[in-house]
Amino acid sequence: RCQTDAFLDRPATPLFIPAKSGKDVATQIEEGELFDFDTEVQPVLEVLIGKTVEQALLDVLEEEELASLRSQQRAFQELRNAELVEVQRLEEQERRHREEKVRRLKQQREVLENERVIAEKIAARGFAQQYLADLLPSVYNTLRDQGYFYDPVQRDIETGFLPWLMAEVDSALEKQETALTMFDSEFRILCFPLNIDYLYFYTVK
C-alpha cells in the first residue's frame, strides 16, 4: 500500500520591494501637524450640507412661490378678464344709453321743430287771413273803381246807350233852341210893325 504525503501550504508571496534609488531622508512631524480628516473635513461637510439643504429649501420655496405667483396670476388674469368683460358690458350699456339719449334728443328736436313750423304756419295763416280780410275787399274795390270789374249791361248802357241818348237829347235841344230862336225872330218881325206888345216866351230845357 502506498500513501502520498500531504500537500504543504504554499508560502505567501513576498512583497515586491523595488530597489532603492537615491538617498533616504526623514522629516520630523510633530503631533497635530498632519491633516486630521475627521477634524478638518467635518466643518466643510457641515457647510456643504448646510448650503445644499439651504439651496434645496430655497429651490422648494422658490417653486412654491412661483406656483403661488402663477396661481395668483391666473386668479388675477381671470379677475382681469371678468373686469374686462364687465367694462365692455358697461361700455356697451353706456353706448346704448348714449345712442338712446341722442335718438331721443333728436326726436325731441324734430318734435319741437315740427311744433315750431306748425305754429309759424298757423301764425302765417292767421296773419294772411287777417291781412287778406282787409286786402281783398280793398283790392276788389280799387279794381272795381278802376273799371276792371263791371256789369256788362250797365257798362253797355253807360258806354253805349247813355252817350247816344245824351247826343240825341243835345241834338233835339239844339233843334228846339234853333226853332225857338227862329220863331222868336219871326215873331218880333211880325209884332213890331203891328205895335203889338212884345211877348217873351221862356222855354226851359
Side-chain angles (χ1 to χ4, degrees):
R1 167 182 185 187
C2 293
Q3 181 68 37
T4 60
D5 295 333
F7 288 104
L8 297 175
D9 292 331
R10 181 181 179 181
T13 301
L15 295 174
F16 174 75
I17 300 174
K20 292 184 180 180
S21 59
K23 296 181 179 181
D24 293 334
V25 293
T27 303
Q28 184 178 357
I29 299 174
E30 300 292 337
E31 185 179 359
E33 290 182 357
L34 293 178
F35 178 76
D36 187 356
F37 182 80
D38 294 335
T39 303
E40 299 295 337
V41 173
Q42 184 177 1
V44 178
L45 289 177
E46 290 178 356
V47 171
L48 291 176
I49 293 172
K51 290 293 183 181
T52 302
V53 172
E54 183 180 359
Q55 186 65 35
L57 290 175
L58 290 176
D59 291 340
V60 172
L61 292 175
E62 184 178 0
E63 291 178 358
E64 291 180 355
E65 186 176 1
L66 289 175
S68 177
L69 289 175
R70 283 192 292 270
S71 177
Q72 291 179 2
Q73 187 176 4
R74 284 195 299 271
F76 175 76
Q77 190 68 26
E78 292 176 357
L79 181 62
R80 183 171 178 272
N81 292 333
E83 289 179 353
L84 287 176
V85 172
E86 183 66 18
V87 167
Q88 291 177 356
R89 186 185 68 82
L90 293 176
E91 289 179 351
E92 182 66 19
Q93 184 178 2
E94 180 66 21
R95 185 184 64 80
R96 290 197 300 270
H97 289 169
R98 185 168 58 253
E99 290 179 354
E100 181 68 17
K101 183 178 179 181
V102 171
R103 186 178 63 82
R104 291 191 177 184
L105 288 175
K106 184 178 179 181
Q107 290 180 352
Q108 187 66 23
R109 283 196 294 269
E110 290 178 355
V111 170
L112 293 176
E113 183 66 21
N114 291 332
E115 290 179 355
R116 185 184 64 80
V117 172
I118 292 173
E120 289 180 354
K121 288 182 178 179
I122 293 174
R125 183 176 181 182
F127 176 76
Q129 290 178 350
Q130 183 179 3
Y131 182 74
L132 292 177
D134 298 331
L135 179 63
L136 291 177
S138 63
V139 170
Y140 287 146
N141 292 330
T142 303
L143 293 176
R144 188 179 295 107
D145 294 338
Q146 292 179 359
Y148 289 97
F149 299 117
Y150 57 87
D151 186 2
V153 177
Q154 183 179 0
R155 184 67 175 272
D156 186 43
I157 291 173
E158 292 178 353
T159 59
F161 178 71
L162 289 180
W164 174 81
L165 181 61
M166 294 300 295
E168 292 295 327
V169 170
D170 290 340
S171 177
L173 291 176
E174 287 179 357
K175 289 180 180 179
Q176 184 178 2
E177 186 176 0
T178 302
L180 289 175
T181 303
M182 292 178 65
F183 176 76
D184 187 36
S185 298
E186 294 294 330
F187 186 75
R188 285 183 180 182
I189 293 173
L190 292 175
C191 289
F192 284 148
L194 297 177
N195 295 322
I196 300 174
D197 293 335
Y198 178 74
L199 298 176
Y200 178 76
F201 295 87
Y202 180 77
T203 303
V204 180
K205 292 181 181 181

